[in-house]
């Protein structure tokens, strides 16, 4: 298309201080910083003759089968080698944080659940935990354990989706069908519990929307029986297979220093050998009462990230088995009339219940003023929620720290000096969900 | 029984006074606790300096940078007495992997000079987060290598998360039948 002769893109500030983490990024020149305007100018300019070090600026996405939705990449190529790259995002931006300021705390989960649409229950969970931290209410044990069950099932379905798309991106198309097939089974369970396959609005401030339906235990056990042999199949199909290993091993390597400096979390951070999992290190819900291992890699390459997610499915199943044993009886939501709508039957008998119901759904409940940041370990890393309340029934400010958004920064570093085909493997292994990136 | 009651009341009266004058500080910044979470209130000019001190102290990851526009905030602000409230507040969250703790830093940024130092060189992971805050809240981060819009189109006017940003409706034409 055209050539670029941009100076090595980095700060204009000379590097005088080396005490920051910036010096831990040896490949920071691989981050392309070029505006659309500049790219358009270059597209119109004539290529210089007789220059050997000409590079090409190529656009990949936003609608490309391997870009997981609408991620767009500006790639600066030398032949088929990626020299610098820039992820361009915002194509799904719908101002959900702004919308969140106009919705009550009860309506909030409906909004946030649409962010990371592959693991919607985590969005609801983090929003609800933040709201509960502001109000200062305790939720009953059964609600906590239902939340844990649902989030671990969601982690399984999200990682299964990763298995499918990762397979598709790398040409293992059978894996795509298998991954979707298994995920569908988990979604059926979600449908039975929450009424919806995705965007459940199931976890709400104060507990969950409904108790688990009759026969849920059998459904979960059925899934837990179905999955292990299927995961064995994946191992046969991919893990030990030479083509698969060649395609992923040594591709998109990132060091622990780089991952920490770039604020990467989740499987990307763990693939570098850093044992950091919020479920273990800063336990929320009742994670300190279940036994599980944090899966880490050692090379920080795409294969490690694949293997970590595959084994995290197994660890999640281990947690689900313990939840099945320990699931307590009792209420599935807090019995706080200010926060929890009364049961339908009560409305017919009690004027007060009717008023509470009416007030909660028209005005919402008031949340004491203050600010709070709560984070959970989503399948993609640290999912944080920062809420500022002014004492009213709607958040004054609601910010979601999306792990996909922050993890996207690692991409240019992983792609530096690799082939375009490997860039596809890198995008896939970062596993960004663009709904969460753009919000 | 009555003795206990009097003891309780005297304790309750004494406690706030005892805790009152002694203001907790960290890095020479006043500390408050918000729902059990540690918050340090950093002066805008010391933003970078404090971040460097945090990094040197083992707070090895800056997980989040965001900002709040307090233009229409009517409740009292939960700030220490010697921190003057301003319209914008930049909020950064840090994690220490070694001690498994979190700390949050908040800095007041005035509306007429909405700039603050960029943490990019200290915590390069703030790159996109600061671009997002700039894009949506219009706060300029001094020293950021590429402070461009990230979520909105490059040609967009205004900063949508500001409270005075007009939230308009797009007229939708409905055709008769």
């Amino acid at each position: 298309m055209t050539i670029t002769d941009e100076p090595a893109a980095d700060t204009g500030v000379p590097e005088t201080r080396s005490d920051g983490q910036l010096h831990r990024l040896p490949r920071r020149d691989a981050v392309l910083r070029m505006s659309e305007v500049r790219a358009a100018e270059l597209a119109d300019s004539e290529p210089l003759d007789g220059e050997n070090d000409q590079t090409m600026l190529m656009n990949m996405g936003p609608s490309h089968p391997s870009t997981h939705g609408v991620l767009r990449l500006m790639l600066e190529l030398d032949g088929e080698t990626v020299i610098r790259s820039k992820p361009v995002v915002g194509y799904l931006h719908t101002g959900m944080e702004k919308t969140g300021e106009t919705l009550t705390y009860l309506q909030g989960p409906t909004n946030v659940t649409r962010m990371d649409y592959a693991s919607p229950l985590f969005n609801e969970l983090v929003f609800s935990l933040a709201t509960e931290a502001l109000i200062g209410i305790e939720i009953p044990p059964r609600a906590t354990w239902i939340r844990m069950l649902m989030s671990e099932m969601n982690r399984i379905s999200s990682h299964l989706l990763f298995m499918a798309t990762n397979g598709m991106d790398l040409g293992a198309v059978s894996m795509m069908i298998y991954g979707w097939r298994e995920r569908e089974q988990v979604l059926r369970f979600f449908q039975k519990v929450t009424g919806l396959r995705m965007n459940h609005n199931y976890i709400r401030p104060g507990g969950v929307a409904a108790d688990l339906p009759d026969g849920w235990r059998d459904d979960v056990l059925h899934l837990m029986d179905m999955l292990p042999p299927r995961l064995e199949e994946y191992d046969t199909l991919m893990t030990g297979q030479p083509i698969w290993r060649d395609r992923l091993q040594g591709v998109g390597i990132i060091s622990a220093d780089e991952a920490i400096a770039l604020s990467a979390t989740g499987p990307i951070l763990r693939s570098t050998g850093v044992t950091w999992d919020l479920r273990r290190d800063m336990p929320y819900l009742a994670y300190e009462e279940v036994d599980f291992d944090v899966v880490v890699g050692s090379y920080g390459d795409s294969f490690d990230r694949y293997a970590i997610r595959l084994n995290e499915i197994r660890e999640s199943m281990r947690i689900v088995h313990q939840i099945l044993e320990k699931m307590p009886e009792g209420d599935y939501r807090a019995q706080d009339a200010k926060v929890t709508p009364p049961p339908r039957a009560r409305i017919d008998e009690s004027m007060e219940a009717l008023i509470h119901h009416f007030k909660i759904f028209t005005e919402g409940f008031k949340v004491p003023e203050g600010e709070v940041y709560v984070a959970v370990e989503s399948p993609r890393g640290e999912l944080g929620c920062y809420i500022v309340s002014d004492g009213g029934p709607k958040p004054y400010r609601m910010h979601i720290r999306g792990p996909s958004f922050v993890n996207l920064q690692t991409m240019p570093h992983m792609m530096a000096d690799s082939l375009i085909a490997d860039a596809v493997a890198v995008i896939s292994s970062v596993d960004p969900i663009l709904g969460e990136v753009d919000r | 029984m009555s003795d206990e009651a009097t003891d309780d009341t005297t304790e309750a009266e004494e406690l706030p006074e005892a805790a009152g004058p002694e203001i907790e500080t960290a890095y020479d910044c006043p500390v408050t606790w918000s729902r059990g979470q540690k918050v340090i209130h950093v002066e805008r000019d010391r933003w970078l300096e404090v971040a460097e001190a945090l990094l040197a102290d083992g707070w090895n990851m800056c997980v989040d940078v965001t900002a709040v526009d307090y233009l229409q905030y009517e409740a009292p602000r939960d700030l220490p007495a010697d921190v003057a409230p301003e319209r914008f507040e930049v909020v950064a969250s840090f994690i220490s992997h070694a001690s498994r703790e979190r700390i949050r830093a908040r800095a007041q940024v005035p509306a007429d000079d909405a700039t603050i130092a960029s943490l990019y060189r200290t915590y390069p992971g703030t790159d996109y987060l600061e671009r997002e805050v700039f894009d949506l809240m219009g706060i300029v981060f001094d020293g950021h290598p590429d402070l461009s819009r990230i979520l909105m189109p490059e040609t967009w006017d205004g900063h949508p998360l500001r409270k005075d940003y007009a939230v308009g409706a797009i007229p939708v034409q409905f055709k008769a039948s």
Side-chain angles (χ1 to χ4, degrees):
Chain A
M1 182 177 64
T2 181
I3 60 129
T4 63
D5 52 357
E6 294 266 294
D10 203 29
T11 68
V13 190
E15 192 167 351
T16 48
R17 270 197 298 260
S18 59
D19 47 349
Q21 284 180 328
L22 192 62
H23 72 279
R24 295 191 190 171
L25 302 175
R27 293 172 290 180
R28 57 184 182 271
D29 289 347
V31 182
L32 179 65
R33 305 200 184 271
M34 184 185 287
S35 67
E36 299 291 324
V37 179
R38 177 70 182 137
E41 277 170 19
L42 286 169
D44 292 337
S45 66
E46 288 289 314
L48 300 173
D49 287 330
E51 292 265 338
N52 286 328
D53 54 344
Q54 293 190 357
T55 57
M56 182 170 74
L57 201 60
M58 203 187 71
N59 189 51
M60 184 171 171
S63 350
H64 184 278
S66 76
T67 56
H68 286 229
V70 285
L71 174 65
R72 182 183 144 209
L73 286 169
M74 254 194 220
L75 301 172
E76 187 184 347
L77 303 172
D78 179 13
E80 217 183 311
T81 310
V82 178
I83 301 174
R84 296 190 284 170
S85 52
K86 174 188 182 182
V88 184
V89 300
Y91 294 94
L92 275 183
H93 179 61
T94 49
M96 291 164 100
E97 290 184 2
K98 187 86 174 170
T99 310
E101 293 171 6
T102 65
L103 299 173
T104 65
Y105 288 94
L106 198 64
Q107 293 166 328
T110 321
N111 179 37
V112 295
T113 190
R114 281 155 174 77
M115 288 180 176
D116 180 353
Y117 42 75
S119 53
L121 287 158
F122 288 91
N123 301 314
E124 302 167 14
L125 175 65
V126 75
F127 180 87
S128 303
L129 288 177
T131 308
E132 286 154 9
L134 278 171
I135 307 175
I137 50 169
E138 290 277 313
I139 65 159
R142 188 172 171 85
T144 302
W145 284 81
I146 294 178
R147 285 175 174 190
M148 267 169 73
L149 171 72
M150 295 301 277
S151 23
E152 288 313 313
M153 296 301 274
N154 205 172
R155 193 182 313 277
I156 292 172
S157 80
S158 174
H159 282 341
L160 285 169
L161 179 67
F162 164 80
M163 292 291 140
T165 52
N166 195 33
M168 180 183 70
D169 290 341
L170 299 172
V173 184
S174 340
M175 188 54 232
M176 180 191 93
I177 307 289
Y178 296 157
W180 286 102
R181 180 185 65 184
E182 269 72 276
R183 174 176 179 263
E184 197 57 38
Q185 301 285 324
V186 183
L187 294 193
R188 278 201 196 123
F189 173 71
F190 287 159
Q191 185 174 13
K192 192 165 174 187
V193 176
T194 73
L196 294 163
R197 296 168 69 252
M198 297 167 78
N199 304 335
H200 314 277
N201 187 17
Y202 177 68
I203 298 175
R204 297 179 187 177
V208 295
D211 206 351
L212 294 168
D214 292 347
W216 66 273
R217 207 173 277 270
D218 293 340
D219 292 339
V220 174
L221 282 172
H222 173 73
L223 282 169
M224 294 300 113
D225 288 344
M226 176 205 79
L227 278 169
R230 300 278 168 90
L231 297 182
E232 294 286 315
E233 265 179 43
Y234 301 172
D235 273 336
T236 318
L237 189 65
M238 301 192 298
T239 314
Q241 188 225 87
I243 301 173
W244 183 257
R245 297 183 85 104
D246 275 359
R247 197 77 173 70
L248 288 176
Q249 283 182 333
V251 169
I253 296 182
I254 189 167
S255 71
D257 265 3
E258 285 176 285
I260 290 173
L262 290 166
S263 303
T265 45
I268 297 180
L269 181 61
R270 288 195 284 276
S271 75
T272 64
V274 179
T275 50
W276 183 257
D277 187 320
L278 293 180
R279 291 177 292 170
R280 187 201 64 172
D281 294 303
M282 294 179 177
Y284 52 96
L285 296 179
Y287 277 108
E288 64 266 51
E289 291 174 43
V290 291
D291 188 28
F292 65 100
D293 291 326
V294 176
V295 189
V296 292
S298 37
Y299 301 100
D301 60 1
S302 298
F303 187 82
D304 274 359
R305 292 189 280 275
Y306 153 79
I308 284 174
R309 291 187 177 107
L310 183 60
N311 285 307
E312 278 188 358
I313 299 181
R314 297 193 165 107
E315 288 304 316
S316 287
M317 288 167 50
R318 232 176 107 189
I319 298 176
V320 168
H321 278 297
Q322 296 172 55
I323 295 173
L324 284 178
E325 280 170 27
K326 295 187 178 175
M327 177 68 77
E329 294 297 319
D331 276 331
Y332 60 93
R333 54 184 182 181
Q335 288 308 315
D336 182 332
K338 293 283 179 216
V339 176
T340 312
R344 179 66 190 82
R346 285 281 300 148
I347 297 173
D348 298 336
E349 304 161 354
S350 156
M351 189 65 198
E352 264 194 338
L354 181 67
I355 292 170
H356 276 308
H357 187 273
F358 182 76
K359 292 281 258 188
I360 286 173
F361 280 96
T362 51
E363 282 175 9
F365 50 84
K366 289 196 164 56
V367 168
E369 64 242 36
E371 43 112 47
V372 77
Y373 178 86
V374 174
V376 300
E377 184 77 24
S378 100
R380 268 154 276 279
E382 172 169 335
L383 175 66
C385 182
Y386 181 70
I387 294 184
V388 179
S389 168
D390 59 356
K394 294 168 185 174
Y396 183 77
R397 171 92 167 89
M398 193 269 299
H399 167 74
I400 296 279
R401 186 256 189 213
S404 303
F405 180 69
V406 183
N407 287 351
L408 216 54
Q409 299 181 104
T410 58
M411 231 181 240
H413 299 262
M414 290 178 183
M415 280 180 190
D417 296 320
S418 66
L419 299 174
I420 298 183
D422 290 342
V424 172
V426 167
I427 299 173
S428 186
S429 80
V430 171
D431 191 24
I433 295 292
L434 271 292
E436 180 182 70
V437 173
D438 295 341
R439 300 186 300 280
Chain B
M1 195 60 203
S2 60
D3 282 355
E4 272 177 19
T6 46
D7 277 0
D8 279 356
T9 47
T10 46
E11 253 184 34
E13 277 163 15
E14 272 170 20
L15 263 178
E17 273 196 7
E22 198 181 309
I23 294 171
E24 192 185 352
T25 58
Y27 307 98
D28 292 332
C29 304
V31 172
T32 57
W33 291 82
S34 174
R35 308 296 197 275
Q37 300 175 345
K38 191 174 184 180
V39 181
I40 55 173
H41 297 267
V42 184
E43 275 173 57
R44 181 167 62 134
D45 299 338
R46 296 188 56 222
W47 186 243
L48 185 59
E49 183 196 326
V50 170
E52 281 168 353
L54 283 168
L55 178 62
D57 254 9
W59 299 94
N60 58 345
M61 192 187 270
C62 177
V63 280
D64 189 30
V65 177
T66 185
V68 186
D69 177 2
Y70 279 97
L71 184 67
Q72 295 163 358
Y73 195 80
E74 277 162 12
R77 303 270 298 269
D78 62 334
L79 293 170
D82 50 346
V83 175
E86 297 284 356
R87 173 170 170 190
F88 295 111
E89 187 173 283
V90 175
V91 186
S93 305
F94 302 87
I95 276 190
S96 163
H97 283 170
S99 66
R100 299 175 179 178
E101 284 176 305
R102 283 177 195 281
I103 194 170
R104 190 156 67 237
R106 291 162 58 185
Q108 303 298 318
V109 177
D112 53 358
D113 176 28
T115 57
I116 194 167
S118 167
L119 302 186
Y120 173 72
R121 302 179 67 75
T122 316
Y123 292 101
T126 56
D127 182 353
Y128 280 18
L129 294 161
E130 288 183 345
R131 280 178 67 190
E132 187 195 339
V133 173
F134 163 73
D135 185 1
L136 301 179
M137 203 62 96
I139 291 170
V140 176
F141 289 88
D142 268 342
H144 190 283
D146 173 29
L147 201 62
S148 51
R149 286 188 181 273
I150 188 163
L151 294 178
M152 306 298 285
E154 273 178 17
T155 51
W156 196 263
D157 278 336
H159 302 286
L161 277 182
R162 288 191 171 188
K163 288 286 175 179
D164 54 1
Y165 182 85
V167 183
I170 300 170
V172 183
Q173 287 192 345
F174 293 101
K175 289 178 183 154
S177 74

